[in-house]
Amino acid sequence: MVGFSAAVIRRQQFLLRCLVGYNISSKNLSYTTIKMQSLVSGGSPDFAISILRSITPSLDSSRHKGQAGKIAVVGGCREYTGAPYFSAISALKIGADLSHVFCTKDAAAVIKSYSPELIVHPILEESYSVRDEDKKSISAKVIEEVDKWMERFDCLVIGPGLGRDPFLLDCVSDIMKHARQSNVPVVIDGDGLFLVTNCLELVSGYPLAVLTPNVNEYKRLVQKVLQSEVNDQNGTQQLVSLAKGIGGVTILRKGGSDFISNGDAVGAVSAFGSPRRCGGQGDILSGSVAVFISWARQCSAKRELSLSPTVMGCIAGSVLLRKAASHAFESKGRSTLTTDIIDYLGRSLEEFCPVTRRDK
């Protein structure tokens, strides 16, 4: 730990107090009094990779379309079409079978042109195109259309490219309420976090909600929930308090190290990564986490795991993105873009979970 600051040492000491024994094999994790193994700065990535391996399904001929995950991204408006694409295509690149995007009509054709692999639903509306007297009926139509699909989805991603139009946010609020009623996990990023920060009851007390704030989004959440400023000296303790303050949601605080907590324990993923900070990496992460949550829930249903599926999904999504980003930076250097990182998602997952001859 030579050269570590006192704050980092205190953080590590707190993380270590959260640990309990575990026994890991490549496809099974058994826990006693399970909390979470932490990956402190400079530590081994083995635990995060083991989590990823334990929830990644094998490939075999007995599986059918849809079993590996059906993900939906709610986002995309006139100004922002790249973010929902990045999130949705990343889910497919990792291994989800189907990926949907629910966006505004203005965004739909553009997003469709990016890839024929995505199922695009142009059902959302912005205020400029809706008369006041029509808002109630149009909102009802949006919910009716989404509800046709809701029970099919394994996870929703809320927020990439959503924008902050008031009517659009009202419709998305209703979608989130219906997802919660249907017990569908939600990963909230981007402008979805703006919505949630101003309407905490949308996720408060919902254990299948995941928030993925960056530094500024995290600051606003801390100010809103804890009524204080971000305290990096006791950052992990504050993260636990924040997750508890929102009723046990899982929070993935993005940064140099990604810190994850559901209010019970806290862990960190600091391995791999890239110094390049091009926009869109958070969108990759949201799609990745959604897929891994759906896989972790499948494992939990079989009683193979006892750790929260949302926590496992965050750990797996974080370490995979960091690995792909490191590969992309090695290849492209300063010119690395989000699309370059997406191209390395499959290779990175293959390095962690090689497809065996038997799987083929």
Side-chain angles (χ1 to χ4, degrees):
M1 292 187 185
V2 177
F4 277 20
S5 69
V8 173
I9 293 174
R10 283 196 297 271
R11 182 182 301 129
Q12 291 179 345
Q13 290 171 339
F14 177 79
L15 290 170
L16 292 171
R17 289 199 298 271
C18 296
L19 306 185
V20 247
Y22 61 93
N23 180 23
I24 301 177
S25 64
S26 61
K27 295 301 292 181
N28 181 65
L29 296 177
S30 63
Y31 294 83
T32 53
T33 312
I34 182 76
K35 290 288 186 183
M36 190 190 307
Q37 170 79 1
S38 299
L39 298 174
V40 296
S41 298
S44 168
D46 290 348
F47 184 80
I49 296 171
S50 295
I51 289 284
L52 181 150
R53 287 172 176 163
S54 73
I55 60 178
T56 300
S58 61
L59 297 175
D60 61 69
S61 58
S62 66
R63 300 178 69 85
H64 58 76
K65 183 175 68 176
Q67 282 188 306
K70 302 176 290 294
I71 308 302
V73 177
V74 180
C77 61
R78 282 186 301 172
E79 291 86 358
Y80 307 114
T81 57
Y85 164 76
F86 291 149
S87 182
I89 202 68
S90 295
L92 289 178
K93 290 283 189 176
I94 290 170
D97 287 335
L98 296 168
S99 194
H100 297 246
V101 177
F102 291 85
C103 60
T104 65
K105 294 176 181 177
D106 289 335
V110 179
I111 296 172
K112 285 182 179 181
S113 72
Y114 294 153
S115 173
E117 306 289 346
L118 304 180
I119 303 169
V120 181
H121 306 263
I123 65 168
L124 301 180
E125 298 278 5
E126 294 183 84
S127 299
Y128 77 91
S129 63
V130 181
R131 297 181 300 179
D132 288 343
E133 59 268 30
D134 295 333
K135 287 183 177 179
K136 186 175 181 179
S137 61
I138 290 177
S139 178
K141 289 180 181 178
V142 169
I143 297 304
E144 181 182 1
E145 182 64 25
V146 175
D147 271 353
K148 293 178 183 178
W149 296 88
M150 187 68 76
E151 65 179 14
R152 309 182 194 187
F153 297 138
D154 297 301
C155 191
L156 296 186
V157 180
I158 307 289
L162 185 60
R164 298 184 179 182
D165 178 80
F167 179 70
L168 179 55
L169 292 181
D170 286 343
C171 290
V172 173
S173 295
D174 290 336
I175 292 172
M176 292 178 65
K177 292 173 185 176
H178 281 246
R180 184 167 181 168
Q181 292 169 0
S182 301
N183 209 39
V184 176
V186 291
V187 178
I188 303 167
D189 188 48
D191 288 320
L193 290 168
F194 171 82
L195 173 61
V196 165
T197 301
N198 291 288
C199 193
L200 289 170
E201 60 268 24
L202 289 172
V203 296
S204 183
Y206 187 42
L208 294 179
V210 174
L211 313 184
T212 60
N214 61 24
V215 60
N216 291 319
E217 293 158 346
Y218 185 77
K219 178 181 178 180
R220 289 192 286 267
L221 278 170
V222 169
Q223 291 172 336
K224 175 78 172 187
V225 178
L226 301 181
Q227 298 183 351
S228 65
E229 297 300 322
V230 175
N231 183 351
D232 286 326
Q233 289 189 342
N234 295 296
T236 50
Q237 296 180 42
Q238 189 175 62
L239 177 60
V240 171
S241 297
L242 181 61
K244 286 182 177 178
I246 314 178
V249 301
T250 298
I251 299 175
L252 193 168
R253 180 187 180 186
K254 298 180 289 193
S257 294
D258 292 336
F259 287 90
I260 301 151
S261 179
N262 61 356
D264 183 30
V266 62
V269 180
S270 58
F272 312 117
S274 162
R276 186 76 167 94
R277 292 293 180 264
C278 53
Q281 294 182 67
D283 303 311
I284 299 176
L285 181 65
S286 65
S288 303
V289 168
V291 175
F292 283 116
I293 287 175
S294 72
W295 290 349
R297 291 191 82 204
Q298 290 178 13
C299 294
S300 293
K302 300 173 184 177
R303 299 184 181 276
E304 295 180 0
L305 305 170
S306 56
L307 184 61
S308 164
T310 55
V311 170
M312 299 186 82
C314 287
I315 292 172
S318 173
V319 74
L320 180 64
L321 169 59
R322 285 171 168 272
K323 184 66 172 177
S326 68
H327 278 312
F329 186 75
E330 287 173 7
S331 174
K332 302 289 185 175
R334 290 182 183 272
S335 68
T336 302
L337 298 177
T338 299
T339 48
D340 299 317
I341 299 173
I342 290 172
D343 287 340
Y344 279 101
L345 288 172
R347 169 180 165 180
S348 299
L349 186 57
E350 178 70 14
E351 290 177 7
F352 291 150
C353 302
V355 177
T356 64
R357 291 182 181 274
R358 178 172 54 84
D359 292 331
K360 292 176 182 177

